[in-house]
Amino acid sequence: MSKLMSIFARISNLFSRSSLDREIESELESHIEMRIEDNLAQGMSPEHARRDALARFGNPTATKEHVVFADAAVALGSVWDDTRYAFRQLRRSSGFAATTVLTLAIGIGANLAIFQLLYGVLFAHLPVKQPAELYSLHAVQSPFDGEWFFSFPAYQRLRQATQEDAPVFARSGFGIGVLQETDGATSRIEFQLVSDNFFSVLGLAPSAGRFFLNGDDQRQQSEWPVILRYDYFRQHFAPNQPVLGKRSTFNGVPIVIVGVAPKGFSGVVRGEAPDLWLPLAADATNRFGTWFDSLGTGYVDLDRSHLDQASFFWLWVLSRTRDGVKFAAPARWTSALAPDLSLIAGASKNTRDRTRILRSQVKLISAENGEGSLAKKYSPPLIILMAMAVVILLVGCLNLANLQMARLQQREIEIATRIALGASRTRVLRQVAIETVVLAAVGGVLAFATGRAASSLLLHWASGRGQTIPIDPQIGAAATLLGTALLLGALAGFGLLPAWQMTRKSFSMASKTRVGQLTGQSKGGRRWSNLLLASQVSFSLLLLCAAGLFAQTLRNLSRVDAGMDRDHVLTVHLDMRNTGFAKQQNNLPSFYDTLIQQLKALPMVREVAVHMCTIPKCGWNTAVHVFGSPEMAEAQLHGEEDHVGVGYFRTLGIPILQGRDFSKEDNQQSQQVAILSRSYARKLFGDESPLGHWVGYREPPGDHQFLVVGEVADARVDGLRSEAPPVAYFPIDQRPEPVQSVEVRVRGPLSSLPAEIRESLYKLAPALPVTEIVPLDLEFDDGLSTEALLARLTSIFGALTLALAALGFYGLFSFRVARRTSEIGVRMALGATRSQVRALFLGQTLQIMVAGLIPGLALALGTSYFARKLLYGTGRMDLWALGFAAVMLAAVGLLATLVPAHQAASIDPMRALRTE
Amino acid sequence: MAKNDLQGALDLLVLKTLAQTGRMHGYGIVLHIQRASDELLRVEEGSLYPALHRMEQSRWIVSEWATTETNRKAKYYKLTAAGRKQLQEAEKNFEHLVKGVRAILRYA
């Protein structure tokens, strides 16, 4: 009770008369008790009801309110009171409230989603112990693929030269295999081979079972221990199902599950998530082929395990290196690699290359954020999108600032009256601030929900068919920080600045009523809102241009001539590598022949051909030496190779330029032949015809191996973005390989055939795993997933920005028309025509447009220059896109102004003047 | 409102309320203004009592203690003849002020 008394004392002190009248005290007491009663009736708690009643005495006069504010409890009650008032006010202007909440939800949500992905791609550390100590070892790039590969013997040498303070470990590339459960069910599984110390050096603890031990490195094992990725384990095993010790067959090799990796760990390569890990020694079975490079066909034996072959490069080596040995350890490793360097140098023809390779040193490249090319691939488009998202938020906030200013000007009288009734400027500011905070809070909550949903959607869009980018779409700490900062920035920008501007005016009006000052401020206000709208136009133009350019890029790319007929071909993906077929290479030609006959018997099928590669990514790099020209430079010899069946060119519609196609006579008994693509023929023979020349895989005498019998047109077998590579084609009957694709040329629609093809192949060979049947066109489109993502998102941003521009112009001009009703009445009474009135407002819009479009054009041109690497074939389109965007924006602005301008023009002058 | 000052608005609202309700205590005045203005205007309760006090001294209003419907003691105010005259005066002045302010806002 003493607290209550002290508040009374404070309040009564505020009266100008110094004597504390007993009567006044009891009057106040009765007032407060009545308020408390009402508050209780409204359902407040007794404590709350009392606080609220006291708080309402919060502002006896503007100058003395700080006395009461000294009591925190009272201030709190007062805020609660203002919040309720704010909700009432917002319900009155629900359109504004909805616009604000939506702008924040979409604007900040988009930023959160894109930032989350960008962060995941660029900055997220590997979820391992002290990721900053992790480094990739780079010594010498592999001859064909240019990867920083090591051979297994080289890795062993590195490991021997290693001390405690810088342990090295290794991983293979990413492989795909077939898992066969004990009940016969099969599934496709992604795997990786890792050294036995892989998990222990990363400092991980298994979430179940154990990691690899030293003994797991034995080459002869009856069953191989494997470790599962946590998410894979969760998806494929019931919670209480025993997983450890479970046995199955993987690529025909018995395996046993010994452990599960910790949650959130999906390997050290960003963008890859192997379902299971095997020890490196499992390569001894020769059943787990992954990406490799080699010194060339003559140096390696493809049928033997990689483990003993120093010319097989297939391992990436990493190390955990403490700061103290960052210089000593690489030097040790470099000298340990001497035998490998001289082996690789020896295979090079060029003296300069040879010395360069011999001088190579081991370098440490930080692997803190993981290895792999994910960042290189996705960061440019994501950075562009991030910038776009910031711009759209900016546009949204400019729009809101304008609406807020208009709204506050409408409330001018209310605010002036409240100030007159004894509310201080801070009180009124606080009132407006609370309204804004309420909106921002609702918008913020929605923004996080939108962001979470959008980042999942983005991941899905960015991933393309079949494969996903393993990034956590959950809004993380960094993104939360960003979201909060953006929210606060938006809050200050669109909410508080206009309010500050406003109350300065109203307060001066209430206290001084200086006419001149008032008028001047309002003119300033109009300039302000014109400026805000013009900047909104500038940024909108930028977004629209970007949308136009990226849409055009996608269109150009998807219409690129691939050099083959991709509209009428189905690709059947097979995974023969680890089946019985691959083991009997000599039987392959007859198997392919039966397969082709079987498929050709289907109705609607016109042509069928098998080949070793997949389109649009083969990646089988090679070198072709020309008989009689041993002096050719290394780079001139490099190209890609594919082993194709009879009818391949016919099936894909690749024209034969000269010479002949492969035929059934090109078999293992006859002369080995080759067909070159046009660009390969040009590289090797210039303008001379390649027909009749001899080529081979190796230097003389290995260059007298194949007779060139044909030349075919170039085709973009590596995807639409890259130019057609030089390709050497060999008949698959002469050099049998397990094929990865069967191309089927179809008459009519593609949709019904996959099921029939599957059935037909199953009848032929039940054990043959058909992984997928896809239209070739779709395969090419898949390669454009980043372009599609950019085009899609920027189009969405473009549409949003147009909507915001329409809203901005409509809002501002309806407000202006409403305020100037009687002025327009006077003008019309004095003889202004309706079209003149309309022109008055449209003229203002035009001025704002021009003021916004000119800097917008500069911005857009600058951006398209910056983003030119992501664009394709839009060089001359830039100006068209700009012009189109500008015209569209101007049209939307003028249309949005036309509605209020038309209202103004239809004002009845007499009525307008009478309402004076 | 000779001072041409919006500060007089509170006096005006209180006088008008008493003219409409006849007899009312301070708390009732607050509620009335809030309801009658459709929640738009809120009297700062801390500044109400000094204003009532001042008006009583100017003899525009008089007060007496009475019991409320809920049987609580409260101080009731009502208008005097001088107060009624003051109300007419204040209403006229306020109209002028509003007109003036409107005119400025419109052409601003």
Side-chain angles (χ1 to χ4, degrees), chain A residues 342-399:
Chain A
S342 59
L343 174 74
I344 298 168
S348 173
K349 295 175 60 184
N350 184 305
T351 344
R352 271 230 320 268
D353 283 350
R354 224 171 289 168
T355 26
R356 182 180 51 80
I357 292 168
L358 285 173
R359 282 193 193 144
S360 305
Q361 294 189 339
V362 172
K363 287 191 210 73
L364 295 181
I365 308 296
S366 172
E368 189 177 8
N369 302 328
E371 298 190 294
S373 58
L374 189 75
K376 215 168 104 191
K377 182 176 174 201
Y378 283 102
S379 54
L382 282 176
I383 285 170
I384 292 267
L385 287 177
M386 188 76 230
M388 296 283 156
V390 170
V391 172
I392 191 104
L393 181 63
L394 191 64
V395 167
C397 284
L398 287 172
N399 194 40

Side-chain angles (χ1 to χ4, degrees), chain A residues 551-790:
Chain A
Q552 191 63 37
T553 296
L554 181 63
R555 225 170 81 106
N556 289 347
L557 275 175
S558 57
R559 287 181 171 191
V560 151
D561 180 10
M564 62 182 90
D565 176 12
R566 52 187 160 117
D567 293 329
H568 304 97
V569 175
L570 277 173
T571 301
V572 182
H573 290 280
L574 301 176
D575 195 353
M576 295 177 68
R577 288 167 303 168
N578 303 301
T579 59
F581 302 100
K583 291 287 116 191
Q584 304 151 327
Q585 292 213 327
N586 290 334
N587 295 341
L588 282 176
S590 65
F591 172 69
Y592 294 148
D593 201 41
T594 343
L595 185 148
I596 290 169
Q597 295 314 323
Q598 187 96 9
L599 290 183
K600 264 193 172 170
L602 289 175
M604 316 291 280
V605 171
R606 287 172 65 180
E607 297 283 352
V608 180
V610 295
H611 66 129
M612 179 184 75
C613 281
T614 53
I615 300 175
K617 187 67 204 168
C618 179
W620 193 277
N621 292 328
T622 191
V624 168
H625 297 255
V626 175
F627 173 68
S629 317
E631 72 291 347
M632 269 188 199
E634 193 92 24
Q636 206 177 342
L637 309 176
H638 282 200
E640 295 183 9
E641 73 175 82
D642 195 358
H643 298 194
V644 305
V646 174
Y648 174 78
F649 303 110
R650 235 178 10 246
T651 308
L652 287 181
I654 299 175
I656 294 173
L657 300 178
Q658 54 177 321
R660 64 169 179 93
D661 195 353
F662 295 134
S663 71
K664 281 196 177 163
E665 277 70 54
D666 299 314
N667 53 38
Q668 275 161 307
Q669 281 75 47
S670 62
Q671 168 59 49
Q672 300 207 58
V673 292
I675 290 178
L676 298 180
S677 77
R678 178 151 187 88
S679 53
Y680 218 153
R682 275 186 179 258
K683 264 178 89 167
L684 298 177
F685 304 104
D687 288 335
E688 210 184 313
S689 164
L691 300 187
H693 279 278
W694 289 89
V695 294
Y697 281 131
R698 302 200 60 181
E699 292 159 43
D703 60 356
H704 196 285
Q705 201 175 359
F706 308 100
L707 178 66
V708 180
V709 296
E711 180 187 342
V712 293
D714 283 325
R716 297 201 176 201
V717 292
D718 278 350
L720 296 171
R721 262 221 109 121
S722 42
E723 291 293 325
V727 188
Y729 297 95
F730 302 103
I732 203 158
D733 290 353
Q734 289 184 341
R735 307 190 64 77
E737 292 285 346
V739 300
Q740 293 188 56
S741 347
V742 181
E743 311 288 354
V744 181
R745 188 178 183 79
V746 176
R747 192 184 295 129
L750 302 176
S751 49
S752 63
L753 265 159
E756 293 174 34
I757 292 176
R758 222 174 253 278
E759 196 183 336
S760 170
L761 287 178
Y762 185 79
K763 267 190 228 150
L764 176 71
L768 183 70
V770 175
T771 46
E772 214 178 5
I773 300 179
V774 203
L776 185 57
D777 194 30
L778 213 69
E779 299 263 43
F780 274 105
D781 283 350
D782 255 11
L784 300 178
S785 61
T786 40
E787 284 81 6
L789 178 74
L790 273 172

Side-chain angles (χ1 to χ4, degrees), chain A residues 27 31 35 37-38 822, chain B residues 27 45 49 72 77 106:
Chain A
E27 184 181 12
H31 177 115
R35 173 67 79 188
E37 230 162 70
D38 279 359
S822 49
Chain B
Y27 182 62
E45 293 172 20
Y49 286 95
R72 185 183 298 287
Y77 295 89
R106 223 179 3 254

Side-chain angles (χ1 to χ4, degrees), chain A residues 891-907:
Chain A
V892 164
L894 285 174
L895 273 177
T897 318
L898 210 56
V899 181
H902 186 72
Q903 272 168 7
S906 37
I907 284 171

Side-chain angles (χ1 to χ4, degrees), chain A residues 32 58 106 140 146 171 214 317 337 419 475 548 559 741 827 864:
Chain A
I32 285 169
I106 295 173
V140 59
R171 63 162 180 97
N214 275 332
V317 178
L337 281 179
I419 288 175
I475 301 298
R559 287 181 171 191
S741 347
R827 279 172 187 252
S864 70

